Amino acid sequence: MTVDILVIGGAHIDRRGRLFGHTIMGASNPGRWMEEPGGGGFNAACNLARLGHSVRLISPRGGDTAGEQVSAAAERLGIDDCPVVFLDRATPSYTAILEDDGNLVIALADMALYDLFSARRLRVRTTRESLASTRTILCDANLPAETLTALGNFAASNGVPLSAIAISPAKATRLLPGLHNLDRVFMNANEAEVIAGRRAADPAEWPLLLRKAGLKAGTVTAGGGLTIAFDEGRAIALSPPSVFGIADVTGAGDAFAAGFLSAQLEGADLGLALRTGTAAAAITLLSPYATAESLSADLLVTHLALVPEPEILS
């Protein structure tokens, strides 16, 4: 069965502690705790499924209840879940402490299992069949550099579009060896700095710097600041509308990637894809969860009306 999008990447357990009031470092702070399935690939897959796309998810998991929890959540949304299970390992986890306003204080990523998803795993028959039966592929930088490079080589050889979520500055380096085979990278300014090799003095410089690094197309977000999107022929900038009542920033970047790709799958141009990604991120910021349960194609259209037209840079 051919699917709209094959997602290969992180699917693990997210644990988030939300502090109440002013944060006092080095001391016990009152707050609340929440746990849910998450990960860049998982979050994007859930959002794409809620937007009506057929999605297949491949990700490494441990042979534990946490892995079963991730699988159950994916299957509830109709995602074709195809985990690579390591029975003697624990499912990865991400544990974060957030300020009262939802911004990150510090996080611990226990992701060693992802390093076992080597490039040879892509040659397993079921994975090869999945790669051959999708319209587009989305990966994230939780995977090892050799696996990401091999995935890029496959995509380039077979004419399948491949996008990537940079995940973090530390993990964005894994994209560098195969950067030329990526059709698009979703990143924030810190991750873009790693890929470009230097910081842009002005956001409008990102397209030039990233093209020089070998990237064909990408988006650079900056929270509530200017978002940049570019491809091989155009570069545009968008000022995201203010979002009041932010519940949690977790997953907003993954929602942006999902909204952007959803629009592209439906034939949207660069400007509309950028606006759609921005609308999806705004919906997620209002949710206490990493993926907004309310997200739908209809709700996305409503929020899209609030997003301004982008400015043409070149």
Side-chain angles (χ1 to χ4, degrees):
M1 178 187 73
T2 298
V3 296
D4 289 337
I5 184 160
L6 171 65
V7 180
I8 306 179
H12 49 253
I13 293 296
D14 267 348
R15 302 182 180 96
R16 299 195 299 283
R18 184 72 170 265
L19 303 178
F20 297 154
H22 179 67
T23 302
I24 302 175
M25 301 301 293
S28 176
N29 290 257
R32 68 177 180 271
W33 197 253
M34 187 175 87
E35 180 176 298
E36 64 176 336
F42 178 84
N43 292 340
C46 289
N47 289 319
L48 285 158
R50 286 190 170 107
L51 293 175
H53 297 285
S54 55
V55 182
R56 181 171 294 138
L57 174 64
I58 297 176
S59 66
R61 317 258 176 87
D64 53 14
T65 56
E68 293 171 359
Q69 185 180 347
V70 173
S71 293
E75 290 167 4
R76 280 195 298 271
L77 286 171
I79 294 169
D80 182 12
D81 188 42
C82 304
V84 177
V85 180
F86 296 82
L87 292 175
D88 60 340
R89 302 282 179 151
T91 296
S93 64
Y94 172 82
T95 304
I97 301 298
L98 307 176
E99 297 271 13
D100 187 48
D101 61 5
N103 285 305
L104 181 67
V105 177
I106 194 169
L108 188 153
D110 182 2
M111 306 286 183
L113 179 64
Y114 291 136
D115 294 336
L116 300 182
F117 192 80
S118 61
R120 69 183 179 84
R121 299 277 175 182
L122 300 177
R123 298 195 292 272
V124 174
R125 180 179 59 81
T126 54
T127 302
R128 286 190 285 107
E129 290 174 351
S130 292
L131 289 168
S133 57
T134 182
R135 293 174 58 193
T136 188
I137 303 169
L138 174 65
C139 65
D140 71 29
N142 281 309
L143 304 178
E146 63 156 344
T147 307
L148 293 166
T149 301
L151 188 57
N153 290 335
F154 168 86
S157 299
N158 291 273
V160 182
L162 173 63
S163 299
I165 300 174
I167 297 294
S168 71
K171 292 183 176 180
T173 59
R174 300 176 180 183
L175 299 174
L176 294 175
L179 199 64
H180 59 290
N181 282 332
L182 293 173
D183 290 278
R184 183 173 307 278
V185 176
F186 298 99
M187 59 204 131
N188 61 29
N190 293 330
E191 295 151 1
E193 181 178 2
V194 170
I195 290 174
R198 54 164 285 196
R199 190 85 173 187
D202 182 283
E205 294 180 7
W206 281 126
L208 176 62
L209 293 177
L210 291 164
R211 284 169 178 153
K212 282 185 176 180
L215 184 60
K216 301 171 189 174
T219 61
V220 183
T221 56
L226 202 65
T227 300
I228 304 297
F230 70 96
D231 55 23
E232 293 177 290
R234 298 158 294 173
I236 57 178
L238 186 148
S239 295
S242 298
V243 179
F244 300 99
I246 293 176
D248 197 326
V249 299
T250 306
D254 305 326
F256 176 91
F260 191 105
L261 287 176
S262 175
Q264 284 204 319
L265 283 166
E266 294 169 2
D269 63 9
L270 183 66
L272 180 54
L274 174 57
R275 293 179 62 233
T276 304
T278 302
I283 292 169
T284 304
L285 288 170
L286 296 172
S287 169
Y289 304 107
T291 65
E293 293 180 340
S294 62
L295 181 64
S296 67
D298 289 341
L299 182 62
L300 191 60
V301 170
T302 299
H303 277 258
L304 186 61
L306 305 175
V307 180
E309 292 291 335
E311 171 192 355
I312 298 174
L313 298 177
S314 63

